[in-house]
Amino acid sequence: MGDIGETNTMVTGASAILTALEDAGITHLFVNLGSDHPAFLSAFASKEHGLKICTSPNEMNALSAASGYAQITGKPAAVLVHVECGTQALAGAVHNISKGRIPAVILAGTVPITQEGELKGSRNEYIHWIQDVPNQRAIVAQYMRYEHEIRSAHNATQLLLRAVQFSTSSPQGPSYLIAARETLEQEIPSPKANPTLSGSQSYTKTQPLELMGLSPTAITYLTDVLLSAQQPLIITSYCGRSQQGFDALRTLAELCILPVHENAPIYNNFPTTSYLHQGHQWNGGGQLPALAEADVVLVIDSDVPWISAQSKPAPSARVFHLDVDPLKEGTTLWYLPCKKRWKCDSALALQQLADSIRLSASFSSSEVQESLTRRKQFLQQRFEARQQRLSQAEAPQSASRLTVPFFMSRLREATKSLRVVGLNESTTNLGNVADFLHHDQALSLIGSGGGALGWYSGAAVGASLALQEQGRSNDLVVAFTGDGTWLFGVPSCAYWMAKRYNTPFLTIIWNNGGWASPKNACLRVHPEVQSRPGYNSTELSNDLMVAIDPSPAFGKIAEGAGNAWWAVAKTYDEVDSICQTAIKVVQEERRSAVVEVVIDKI
């Protein structure tokens, strides 16, 4: 396995880890460095590795960048942080990447394990005692697909490859490895020089689990179910996490005239321009008509297919569930009463179903074809009515401030010649962005995967790096976020990274003067708090401690951190020029742009 000249080569544990990352196909390593990393810094300086090292002044931005990269490419990135302090500073990004089933490898040092100079790397700074904690891995263990400590450089490669294997096997997610300074400094013969270890230290022999589809029995069963259904409905949240999943869902839906609803989607899963699309729903919205009338509901890759308090299927409906994680193994309270459920890769399963349906004798029968024709006519009429409602919502509201639907319609017009990759962290305006972007391609609108706010900024950097790797540098990355969420994103770090790594993106901030989500949550449980006579909305927001008033100078922060261009949109007549200028700044000047859209206050 070793090349000539490698036999006597000695490498450190840190170098072995970097080599293993590269051999596993990982190209990007986002770092926030500390006193536990001298061996890594030395390896970086040696230029012996082909990894793209990206410095992130904030750890949450680093892991969010790894998330954005992985969501676009489907491949993991790696993150290197400083002992237990850096691990904690990963913050909510750990939750997001875990709940979103997004692959990533997280590395951290630990304090040295010797203090008398016994080994290279032994304690020589006061902080080495302060940062010593009983169980560093426990900080993030419950979020990880795999976590362990590398105790010897001799098996660092095997453990790193095992972490990659767990992260990339479905259901995917993050892995976490730690190592002390002494282990990272330990010198060993180059792993590539030892043929007896070639199997255990070879990525080609530690591949992720192969994806599984449906059994022949399940395929036959579901084929009959779908062809006999009169008013079926597909509900999904993350079937579109890959191009293959997006295409397979579209193929099956168009073949069998199956309406598709996206509930709390993490990815865009279906063309919103198709008459089969039934829209999006997060919190609120009431009963979904398509769900109430369905006789068969096929849930595909969804953590929250509906919220029973606001929308649910009829008691007589037959529910079936296809999912890469049908038991929701990381969630304690979860249930979805189903007739049958299968653990499978949705892209493969849907391809199997489409093939089976085409070959089915009943599919070409006059009875089935007539049923499909009637359903198509009905769904086309429903789609046209919905499009009219959305079109009316886009019209200017003369007596109020700017609205999100109006702004989205003008942004859509300004970007019609571009390929847009949207990052949607708009909280209470998630639906408005999804409904009015009119996206019809896979991976054109993605979310964080979880509920920890502030993902958008680092993810935009990671997504831009991914697009560059794919030869799509001319795509426009647009991050949609609220004013409160924008602050969570550590913008001073993110816009610096965008400048440093030439990953400019456009940010749209919906400024409603505060955090609407907690206010709405309070009012759903305690509607009485807004019943005081003479109490206006602004006073209530202040008393509930959810107001961000006065607003920060969002644009100035981005400008100071990363030389970003910025503007504030307050009136209808200035939106077009602002959108055009912002896009030109990003596309031609290669600078980030921030547009603050002032809408009605909460």
Side-chain angles (χ1 to χ4, degrees):
M1 180 180 175
D3 296 332
I4 294 174
E6 285 184 334
T7 304
N8 297 320
T9 301
M10 300 295 286
V11 299
T12 64
S15 183
I17 289 170
L18 296 174
T19 298
L21 286 171
E22 194 172 2
D23 288 348
I26 291 176
T27 56
H28 289 74
L29 174 62
F30 298 94
V31 303
N32 190 288
L33 301 165
S35 60
D36 47 335
H37 299 142
F40 280 114
L41 271 63
S42 177
F44 296 161
S46 72
K47 306 291 185 183
E48 294 175 358
H49 308 284
L51 292 167
K52 296 177 182 176
I53 312 297
C54 301
T55 299
S56 175
N58 177 269
E59 291 86 348
M60 180 166 175
N61 284 139
L63 188 52
S64 295
S67 173
Y69 175 86
Q71 288 177 274
I72 295 296
T73 64
K75 303 187 306 179
V79 175
L80 175 64
V81 296
H82 174 47
V83 296
E84 105 289 8
C85 297
T87 300
Q88 293 185 86
L90 291 167
V94 174
H95 157 91
N96 289 336
I97 208 165
S98 177
K99 290 297 184 179
R101 301 172 188 82
I102 300 164
V105 177
I106 304 169
L107 305 167
T110 69
V111 295
I113 56 175
T114 59
Q115 69 178 47
E116 301 289 348
E118 302 96 321
L119 297 172
K120 190 174 182 178
S122 187
R123 297 188 183 192
N124 61 0
E125 300 179 22
Y126 83 91
I127 201 67
H128 293 153
W129 283 266
I130 306 304
Q131 292 172 337
D132 190 339
V133 295
N135 192 346
Q136 180 175 317
R137 288 155 51 193
I139 298 170
V140 295
Q142 65 180 319
Y143 296 95
M144 296 297 128
R145 290 281 286 122
Y146 172 74
E147 54 86 18
H148 193 49
E149 179 180 359
I150 302 172
R151 299 187 178 99
S152 169
H154 287 283
N155 66 356
T157 297
Q158 291 96 326
L159 292 176
L160 190 285
L161 294 178
R162 180 165 169 78
V164 174
Q165 187 177 43
F166 267 96
S167 285
T168 54
S169 293
S170 294
Q172 297 180 337
S175 294
Y176 180 70
L177 291 173
I178 63 174
R181 286 213 312 184
E182 292 89 339
T183 301
L184 298 173
E185 294 286 355
Q186 182 183 10
E187 291 192 349
I188 58 171
S190 171
K192 293 185 176 182
N194 190 342
T196 64
L197 297 176
S198 60
S200 66
Q201 300 194 110
S202 170
Y203 177 66
T204 60
K205 295 185 178 181
T206 55
Q207 295 285 306
L209 298 176
E210 285 195 19
L211 299 175
M212 298 294 292
L214 293 168
S215 69
T217 302
I219 295 168
T220 300
Y221 179 85
L222 274 177
T223 296
D224 293 340
V225 166
L226 292 177
L227 289 179
S228 63
Q230 296 302 304
Q231 292 181 295
L233 176 67
I234 290 175
I235 296 179
T236 186
S237 301
Y238 54 93
C239 180
R241 66 188 182 278
S242 68
Q243 180 74 54
Q244 294 80 3
F246 185 92
D247 291 342
L249 178 57
R250 182 174 187 174
T251 297
L252 179 65
E254 292 177 346
L255 180 67
C256 293
I257 319 298
L258 300 172
V260 177
H261 172 66
E262 298 183 78
N263 207 71
I266 301 170
Y267 300 85
N268 63 296
N269 302 283
F270 199 77
T272 60
T273 53
S274 168
Y275 73 92
L276 294 171
H277 193 254
Q278 300 298 294
H280 313 84
Q281 202 166 30
W282 276 269
N283 296 329
Q287 176 68 53
L288 180 71
L291 181 58
E293 68 199 17
D295 59 343
V296 168
V297 181
L298 183 59
V299 177
I300 305 172
D301 288 336
S302 182
D303 294 332
V304 189
W306 54 79
I307 298 175
S308 296
Q310 68 185 42
S311 182
K312 56 187 175 182
S316 60
R318 292 185 295 164
V319 179
F320 303 90
H321 187 194
L322 306 178
D323 206 311
V324 70
D325 182 20
L327 296 181
K328 310 304 172 188
E329 296 172 15
T331 305
T332 56
L333 175 61
W334 193 93
Y335 49 83
L336 178 65
C338 290
K339 191 168 182 65
K340 286 183 179 291
R341 57 172 55 85
W342 297 269
K343 183 173 185 175
C344 60
D345 177 72
S346 58
L348 284 177
L350 297 179
Q351 290 168 14
Q352 291 175 307
L353 281 173
D355 291 341
S356 175
I357 287 169
R358 290 191 189 96
L359 296 174
S360 173
S362 61
F363 178 60
S364 56
S365 69
S366 59
E367 181 182 0
V368 169
Q369 288 301 312
E370 289 172 3
S371 175
L372 297 184
T373 298
R374 289 193 299 272
R375 192 152 72 224
K376 181 175 182 179
Q377 293 173 344
F378 170 75
L379 292 172
Q380 285 176 329
Q381 293 173 356
R382 171 174 282 174
F383 180 76
E384 290 171 1
R386 182 169 181 270
Q387 291 304 106
Q388 289 179 2
R389 293 194 298 272
L390 293 178
S391 180
Q392 291 171 358
E394 292 178 355
Q397 307 295 315
S398 59
S400 68
R401 298 188 184 189
L402 284 173
T403 65
V404 176
F406 174 82
F407 188 93
M408 288 299 302
S409 70
R410 303 317 303 159
L411 179 66
R412 189 177 70 233
E413 176 66 21
T415 58
K416 63 182 180 182
S417 62
L418 300 172
R419 186 169 179 175
V420 172
V421 175
L423 309 180
N424 194 7
E425 200 173 19
S426 299
T427 53
T428 50
N429 278 298
L430 287 165
N432 278 329
V433 172
D435 283 341
F436 293 97
L437 189 59
H438 291 191
H439 44 291
D440 58 5
Q441 299 182 69
L443 301 173
S444 56
L445 187 64
I446 61 178
S448 70
L453 300 179
W455 158 87
Y456 74 93
S457 55
V461 173
S464 297
L465 288 170
L467 294 171
Q468 290 177 16
E469 187 175 270
Q470 295 178 350
R472 294 169 54 188
S473 296
N474 291 328
D475 286 18
L476 179 66
V477 176
V478 184
F480 299 96
T481 179
D483 50 340
T485 301
W486 190 85
L487 293 169
F488 280 121
V490 197
S492 57
C493 169
Y495 292 102
W496 177 87
M497 291 180 69
K499 181 181 180 181
R500 170 68 176 82
Y501 297 106
N502 191 28
T503 56
F505 60 97
L506 170 59
T507 308
I508 307 298
I509 304 172
W510 312 117
N511 186 356
N512 61 4
W515 290 290
S517 292
K519 179 178 180 178
N520 293 341
C522 175
L523 296 180
R524 290 188 190 102
V525 179
H526 296 284
E528 72 278 2
V529 302
Q530 62 179 343
S531 62
R532 193 177 77 184
Y535 214 22
N536 63 44
S537 180
T538 300
E539 290 174 328
L540 178 59
S541 296
N542 285 325
D543 286 353
L544 293 177
M545 307 306 293
V546 296
I548 304 176
D549 190 17
S551 289
F554 301 105
K556 289 184 179 180
I557 296 172
E559 180 183 24
N563 193 33
W565 176 91
W566 59 276
V568 180
K570 294 182 178 180
T571 62
Y572 290 99
D573 57 6
E574 61 185 349
V575 168
D576 284 348
S577 63
I578 287 177
C579 287
Q580 292 163 7
T581 301
I583 293 167
K584 181 179 179 181
V585 165
V586 176
Q587 295 287 100
E588 298 181 16
E589 299 180 20
R590 302 299 294 170
R591 298 165 55 199
S592 291
V594 174
V595 178
E596 176 188 343
V597 183
V598 180
I599 58 178
D600 282 340
K601 286 192 173 185
I602 60 171

